Each structure stands twice: as C-alpha cells, then as structure tokens.
Amino acid sequence: MKPYRYERAEDISGAISALADEPEGAFLGGGTNIVDLMKLGVSTPDVLVDVRRLMSDDIEETEDGGVRIGAAVPNSDLAADPTIRTRYPALSEALLSGASGQLRNMATTGGNFLQRTRCVYFQDTTTPCNKREPGSGCSALDGYNKNHAILGSSEHCVATHPSDMAVAMAALDAFVVTHGPNGERRIPIEELHRLPGDEPERDTILEHGELITAVELPPMGFSSNSKYRKVRERASYAFALVSVAAAMDVEDGVVRDVRVALGGVAHKPWRATKVEEALRGEPVSEENFRAAAEIELSEAEPLSENAYKVPLARNVMVRTLSDLSGEGR
Amino acid sequence: MTATQAPGKSVGAPISRVEGHLKVRGAATYAYEHRLDEPAYLHPLQSTIANGRVAKIDASRAEAEPGVVAVLTHENAPKLEAVGDAELEILQNGEVGFRGQFIGAVIADTFEAARYAAGLVEIEYEERETDADFRPDRDDLYTPEQLNAGFEPDTSVGDVDGALASAAVKFDATYTTPREHNNPMEPHSSIAVWDEGELTLYESTQGVYWTQNTIAPLFGLDAEKVHVISPHVGGGFGSKGLPHANVVLAALAAMLVEGRPVKFALTRHMMFSVAGYRTPTIQRIRLGADAEGKLSAICNDVVEQTSKIKEFAEQTGTSARMMYDSSNIQTTHLLAALDVAVPSWLRAPGEAPGMFALESAMDEMAIECDLDPVEFRIMNEPEKDLESGLPFSSRGLVACLREGAERFGWDGRNPTPRSERDGRWLVGTGVASSVYPVFSMGGNAATIRADSDGKYVVEIGAADIGTGTWTTLGQIAADELGVSFEDVEMKIGDTKFPNASGAGGSSGITSWGSTLVEAARSLREKIEAEHGGNIPDEGVEASAKMPKNPHRKEYAMYAFGAHFVEARVDEDTGEVRVPRMTSVFAAGRIINAKTARSQFMGGMVMGLSAALHEESVLDTRFGHVVNHDFAEYHIPTNADVGELDISWIEEDDPYVNPMGSKGIGEIGIVGSAAAVANAVYHATGTRVRELPITPDKLIS
C-alpha cells in the first residue's frame, strides 16, 4: 500500500480545488471500496480528500414530488427511509441486497455509484487488465469470465458494474448532481456510466475532481409498483449474477408504462429500453414479457463461461415483470 | 452448562468449553498476539511466475525505505539442511515451482512498512512454460507408491470387469470435485525468535510436536531446541497439520535479526497459495447389481492432482473399498503432477470427495434399480470389512439411516423428480451415508500430578483447534481419576508438555485420551501402592505413554452417519437453498454433547458449502487461484444454513479405545455434499455431477 496524504476541506469548492492540482488524488466517501483497492495496490492515490462531512446526508421531498438524496446519506439510511420504502421500493430492496450491514452503514449514496468492478483480474496487480493498466490486455476475455458481461462489452474489457443501487436508480430515471472544476451539472444515471469501448479505464463520464453531491429521484407515479430481484450464488453477501430493477404502470391489463434495468450483465447498469418499448401499450402476459426480454437479449454476446446469463436474465425479467403486473404465480 | 459434574460422571455431559470466557472477551492469546519486546514484521515476496527461476533481485529501493530492517532473498538466506521437502526448503536457490511460492521477504519495524517495501523489490525471472492443466486424458498420469495415510493406491477384489459384464443393472458415470481451500478463520501465523541457537515458535498449529519434528531438522537442530507454543488455534481443517513454508520463512527471517521476534501472519490472499488445499478429483464410478438390487461390482477410478515439487496423493477411493457389500471391488488412483502449489489435507481428505462421488452414484443406482435409496443402502450392508476381512468393531450405518429417516420424515417420499413444488420453488429430498475411519496416532505421553488439596494437573502437548480439547480431555481425565471435572486443570498446546500427536484424522481424542486414561490409572495405582491411597503433602505425579490397542488387529474401526437433506431450487434462476438437514451419527461414546454437536454441525455446513459454493478457480495461463478472497470464493452465510437437526445413536464399542469413542471432527462433512446433490436431483430432475452446484448448472 502506497503512503498517501489524508486531507479535509472546508467546503465542497475547497475539496474540488484540492484535487485540481492533484492528478493522482481522489475523494474519500465511505471508503468501502477505495480503501480495499489501495490495500491491493490497484488504486494508488497520492492524496485522499475526505468529502463525507461536506455533503448533505438528508433525504428531502422536492416541490415537484420527487426526492433529493444527499450524496453522504449512508446506504443503510437510504434503504430504511419510509419515503423510499413506500414510493421507490426497488431502490430500498436493491440497497438491502448489497454488501453487508456493516458496509451499508459506511457506504455513501454518491460513492456507491463509483464502485469499481470486481473482475478478479482488475483486482490482482499481477495479471494484465486494460481497465487497471490500459494496453496490458484483458485477462478475462479468455479466462475466468463466469461473472462477466453479456451486453455492451468490447474486446478491451468484459467487466461488469457491481452496484445494486445504481441498477435501481437507472430504472427509476434518477439523476446525479455533480460539482466540479467546470461547475455544476445534472447527469441522468443512464449517461453517468460508460460502456468500455477502447477506454475501459474510464468507468463514468465524470471528470477528474468532479464530485457527486446529490441524487434526484423524479416523481414517478408508478414507482411505488417497483421491485428489485437479485440472483446470486448464495443467499446473502454476494454480487449479482444477474439482477433486475423494474417499475410498471398497469391499467386494465395493459402496460401503460414500464422501466427495466439489468445488473450483472454489462459495464454499466443496463437500461433495457427495448423491453420498455416493446411492452408499452401491450397487454400484460407472460408471453409478451418473454418476447420483450428476448428482443433485449438478442444482442447478447456471451463469453466462454457465462452463456447461462442469457436465459437467466430472460427468466428474471419475465418473473419480475409478471410479479409487478399481478400475473405472477 | 458449567454446573459441577459428579466425580466420575463428566464424560458425555454438555460442558461448556473451559476457555470460552477467554475467547468471547478476546483474552485468549492466539499465535500472532503474544506480546514480545520489539517485534519485527515480515511481508513475503511471492513468485508471479509458476515455473522458472529468479534471475535477478534488486532490493536496494526496499532496503532504503524507512523502517526496513532487512530483505531476505535466496542470495542471503541462511542455509537449510536438505531434508527432501521442496515445499519447505525455500530460498536455497532461485528456483520457482509454483506461482505464489515464497522467494523472499521484507522485515521491517511495522507491518505497513514491510508490505510497502515488498512492492519496491524488483524481481526478474527466467520463465519456463507453465503446465497447470488438470485433465484426465494427460499422457503423463502416474500411480503413486502410496496414498495419504499409507493406503494402497490400487486395490482389487474379485473380478470387477466380469461382474460388470454380467450385471443385470449397470451404472457408469464420472463425477468431479473442485480444488478447495481450507481457509480457517485465523490465518496461519507465527512469531519466530532465536536465542543462543534455540528457536521459539509461537504458532497456529494443529500439533506443536508435528511442527517441532518438521522444523528442527531443516535447521539442523535437535528437536528439543525448537520450542513450539500454541495454546489457542482459530481453526485449521488440516491446513495447519504439517507446517507449511510460512513457518520456515519466519524462522529464516528471524535469523537475520538475531534475537528480535519476527511476526508473520498470512493474508487471506496468501491462504490460497501457500497453505495447502484439497486436490481437484475426477472419479469414474462403475456399479453393477443383480435384478433385485444387490451390488455385484463397485469401482472407483480416481484421477487427481499433485504438485511437481512435492507429492500429495489424496486417498479418494478408499471408502469405496469398505462401504457396501460386493464380491468385486476395484479402486485405482492416478496423479497429474503440475506446476501448482502443494495440495494437502482438508477436512476428511479422501472421504469427502470420494463419498460425494460414491453416494451420488448410489442414489443414481437406486433409481436404476427402482429402489428407495435408504433401502438400497441397507440391503447392500456388508457383514465385514471386505478389504481386511476383519469384522467391524461396531457399524451403525443402518441404525443411522433408520433413525434419520424417522426424524426427517422420509417415509412416503414420492421418488419421482419434480413431484413437489412450492410456488416457483421445486422441492426435493436426498439421502447419503457417511463414514470415517477411527485413526490412532503414535508418540503420545502424558503426566498427571495430584496435589494434596485434591486438585490435579494434566500435561500433554495436545492441540485445541477450536474443537474443544481443553474441555474434553479434562472430562476424560476427571472420570478416570474419579474426581469432578472442576478439580482437573489441563495444560496443552506447548512442547514443554509431554509428546503428543497432532489434531488430524479425527484421531485426537483416541490418541490423547487413551494416553490420559493410562496416566490416570498409573497415578491412582501409585497413590494406592506408595501412599496408602492418600495424596502426600508434597503431591505425587505419574507419567504414561499411549498403550497399544490389541483390538486394532482384530477389528475394522469406523464411525458412520447418515444425512437427509431438503433442497429447494428456484425454477427460474437455478438458485438452491437448503432449508433443513437431518444428520444422525454412530460415533461411539460422545465425550461432550455440546462440543460434539458443534463438530458435527461444522462438518455438515462445510459439506453444504462444498455442495453449493466452494471452488478455487485456477487460471492455467498464470498458474494461480484467481478467486482468492472471500468475496469471490464463497462459503455459506448464516442465511444459507437452514435448520440443522443433529443427533447420534448410543453406540457401545469396547474395542476402539478405553473411552469407547470415535473421532468426530471429520465425519460431518463426509457424504453431506452428496445428500444435497441427491436432493437437488429429486427437486429438478437434473443430475449435477460436478461440484459445486451453482445456478449456471441448473438454468435453462
């Protein structure tokens, strides 16, 4: 572990300027991921600027009927919030399906989005990895890739994004609010994370020194009819093989509107827009859900060890949508 | 329960472990925690190639770091004696035999400085091609001279091929079990201190004398010059049985900083490269039976892995030799020697993987014969040990199967797969047998001192690796002395106490307990003969060695058990959950009902873990286990373990040892993975013959 400096800033702008002259510096939130990566030698920042105390840890309802979540809100608090539990149950369920109680107490809402992949080669500095060391090669492509991506990957990287929370946020049309050297901006979750392309070292579109300060959940009438279903190899404390966050507005047996996002299948939370388009205005039925899921997955490109994720993602989508529509067994 | 036991009535009682209060308060001193003056800290250098040699090591940057005391490499390492063990003879040249092998160490004033400086050492290799591909069709497989614990590699009774050819019902399938790592909660830890040519090791070990006897010759020392101290051990599961190279590295490093203690604890990552593991196995099982379901042929042909630098041959096929009645039985073992770390013991080496295959096959064969799997096993119960021809000292398998079936509610089971569902869950049940030999190890002695106040001190260099030895040995001694449990103080876990074998092969209580009984009898005779039945004011002591057990030549000795499992499989996702497990054991006399239950439970959960979770994934390109942490290498969480119904039958076996007990540390893991697999088949109709049973193998 490389020696590093620990700093605190007076306010958000101070934190941003503290990193402006530190190309190898990083923000520290809950530290549940970056500290592990520092111990592994994967992250080697010169300085950590602690931002946890600078940001809001409030969850507030907004005038338009949405919710604004301070970036410092711990995952455990967000999961337990009565408004979130009743109006955005998929988000609460996603948070509770992730990590452990101890980690959720430490992890922040803003930091959760910025978790790095758990690809075993990324986490091991003795093996090639384009994400960790651009140009060194992708060890997973022809290696242990059982847990890797089936959608949107590239020859340079087949890693998946590990967050559960971000998948629910993607399905709920959330935005992150950021402050950076170039001011403030509001980014839809769908655009926050990148596909790997030929720059797998970049997980998100955030610039160096750009800080997530809040998350906004827009009003969505049917978000109360949402859920998160995570499939994993043990009952607790494991990353998703595949997960689905979905919300559905059903009236008279017809899908008026629907949101679907997948976890564990891509370099980013995968918004299943083809499923949504296929289902809007269509009658609720398991056959329709299956057909829509298969459209989304028709572009899947499984690797040597993860072909199972295609039927798994299909089945979990069908099951989750059926449950939300009231058609589930 | 800590209530006073009546004199002579301790054995069998559910007495709470005597050191429990120390452990819950964090006051029990584990190896790394012994307080010594000015300790230095070691961080190892591990090879990043699997085959080749270190061509150049430049430690100048590391040596210049503040806090660094020394850098140990093969260029400056003290010479070790050649004992013919390439796993332990580290740093004697630059040769690398597996990835992760120790090629040096940084010793510093703090752990952090040592770890950081280790990253500054520049190492160049001459790399040779890595051969780590474990396949059954390799042309260089070979038969070892003998298997672990001295078993014959190949055995044959009768004519298996002929019996299979003429069998009315034939079965032939291949099962695989993966590489698994022991991963006790406490990683391997040492503090090594040299003082005037003598070495003291504060160790986390399953046997202080096993450590002494292995380490002393490497350093050219008489055994008594190596003092090993290990009062508390946070689990071992076999990986702390015989010392691994981490102990040697700590002792070598301590020679460079003469007089200063060197502390070294493996990280969880290192636990996946240098501390032993269970070999992967490929087992072809063939069974033949007549039309009624009576077995006529049993055959297990095993292929497994070892390391090129040191052979370890797991006795995977041995349980097929004695488990069921057949006139024709054959077992074979072939090894693939690869550029990989050295495999070793992991809880029930041999029986655990071997009985997964055999008990899965027995389930499949019962279905082929259209018989209930419990009844199929019972009708193939042997009258004697077919390998040795000896009668069993006791054999409680049928009783366990009957009792387990009753407790579990097996009767009336619909044998048809996919016949029960609960919503989206497919529900199935499965059964499997368990077995474990009654091993006994030599070289034990004990001393018991009686004081005039009626208190007794019992000394033996035994180990408590979390199993309850501190307590159970006290119970055995108290009963034989005819005093209450509270009047006996145990002293174990240190080479200053009399010689003892280690905790391995579930042999501890048989070996140590027999010795204590002998010592207690000697003491009572001495008090009677020399002191007229009264303890003199100055106290009195007696010592004894473990007596030979004449019955060992007359009887085959095994513990048995039966597991019953309910498995639920999500039809959409392939997720498997095990809401309940009933296991019944026939393991002789149970010394402590409380600690015994914990041993059985731990084994059962470890079998569940093998069934559903554990798999060390070796990347053959690099030669190392890539899922080398607890985020990626899965073991069950509490949420994965359902209701466990654990019991045992009363079994009176006067032959196994003076206590009538059989070892119980390993039998819980044996067969439990097969019971889960059999239940998954019953739930889904899908037979998974490759462990672990993960969702990808059930999804469609």
Side-chain angles (χ1 to χ4, degrees), chain A residues 16 178-185 210-211:
Chain A
I16 291 163
T178 70
H179 286 76
N182 300 316
E184 179 178 346
R185 60 173 169 162
E210 188 172 0
L211 178 66

Side-chain angles (χ1 to χ4, degrees), chain A residues 121 126 139 229 234 319, chain B residues 99 572 575 619 621 635:
Chain A
Y121 303 102
T126 68
S139 297
R229 174 73 166 95
R234 60 183 169 191
R319 168 90 158 272
Chain B
R99 190 178 169 115
D572 296 314
E575 290 161 295
D619 189 319
R621 299 168 301 175
I635 55 175

Side-chain angles (χ1 to χ4, degrees), chain A residues 98-182:
Chain A
S100 64
Q102 294 93 326
L103 286 166
R104 293 194 293 270
N105 286 341
M106 286 298 291
T108 63
T109 303
N112 190 314
F113 287 107
L114 304 179
Q115 289 182 75
R116 310 219 61 194
T117 184
R118 262 55 175 200
C119 173
V120 296
Y121 303 102
F122 172 74
Q123 296 195 90
D124 185 341
T125 56
T126 68
T127 54
C129 168
N130 286 325
K131 183 181 280 297
R132 193 185 66 248
E133 196 179 333
S136 61
C138 173
S139 297
L141 205 52
D142 299 311
Y144 176 53
N145 55 38
K146 187 181 170 188
N147 301 325
H148 285 65
I150 56 171
L151 288 164
S153 59
S154 75
E155 60 182 320
H156 303 289
C157 183
V158 292
T160 57
H161 195 264
S163 170
D164 295 297
M165 183 198 80
V167 178
M169 293 283 199
L172 296 170
D173 284 339
F175 292 80
V176 292
V177 179
T178 70
H179 286 76
N182 300 316

